[in-house]
Amino acid sequence: MKGAMDVSSINSINPILMEFLHRSAVAKLPNQIREVYQFIESKENQLEEISFNETQFIHLMNERSPYKAAADHFSINISSIKDIMDDAQAKIDRVIKDRCDRIKWIDYTDTIRSKQGNKNNQWCFIFVS
């Protein structure tokens, strides 16, 4: 098949596709784990939005720890929150890697051009199995 190739590196994946794969993997987490993960992710995103730079972000992460906020919110100790987050991230990474290993990029540019007679448009088809 002309133009087909296996994607061997997650780093070569389009950031928009990676965001989709991440959201999909998070959605597959068990409810309680997903709730904790999304709570902390939301807190981290809020801190990122109000930070002017990386140094301020790190300062805010220490000052307004999302892990401590999650521990208080869910009435769980911080150590257990960390274990939940480590487990969630490992599951998310595994799901994303498995899906990336199955992605095939297929270039149909020549086929589309010959059928439409248009030399300016470039087309690409992504098949995710």
Side-chain angles (χ1 to χ4, degrees):
M1 191 178 314
K2 183 181 183 294
M5 68 177 197
D6 288 326
V7 176
S8 59
S9 171
I10 289 177
N11 293 330
S12 67
I13 303 294
N14 179 298
I16 295 169
L17 178 58
M18 281 303 295
E19 180 61 29
F20 169 78
L21 294 173
H22 180 263
R23 282 193 317 267
S24 176
V26 169
K28 291 180 181 184
L29 292 172
N31 288 341
Q32 292 176 323
I33 293 173
R34 184 177 60 248
E35 287 178 26
V36 171
Y37 183 88
Q38 289 176 323
F39 180 90
I40 290 175
E41 188 176 52
S42 171
K43 294 291 184 188
E44 289 174 348
N45 289 340
Q46 290 170 2
L47 295 178
E48 183 180 10
E49 286 177 17
I50 64 172
S51 299
F52 296 113
N53 56 39
E54 185 179 336
T55 303
Q56 185 182 23
F57 176 70
I58 292 169
H59 175 73
L60 288 172
M61 287 286 288
N62 288 324
E63 189 177 274
R64 304 179 194 176
S65 170
Y67 282 73
K68 174 138 178 39
D72 293 344
H73 181 80
F74 293 102
S75 300
I76 302 173
N77 66 51
I78 291 178
S79 178
S80 295
I81 292 290
K82 183 181 179 336
D83 290 343
I84 290 169
M85 288 299 287
D86 289 345
D87 182 49
Q89 193 61 58
K91 287 177 180 176
I92 290 166
D93 291 346
R94 189 170 37 255
V95 167
I96 290 173
K97 183 185 178 322
D98 289 348
R99 290 192 68 190
C100 285
D101 287 346
R102 293 189 316 250
I103 290 176
K104 303 264 190 235
W105 294 89
I106 304 169
D107 181 359
Y108 279 100
T109 304
D110 293 338
T111 304
I112 298 298
R113 281 183 179 166
S114 67
K115 287 184 180 185
Q116 292 185 345
N118 189 341
K119 302 290 183 201
N120 294 328
N121 288 336
Q122 289 192 5
W123 298 75
C124 184
F125 176 79
I126 300 173
F127 175 74
V128 181
S129 62

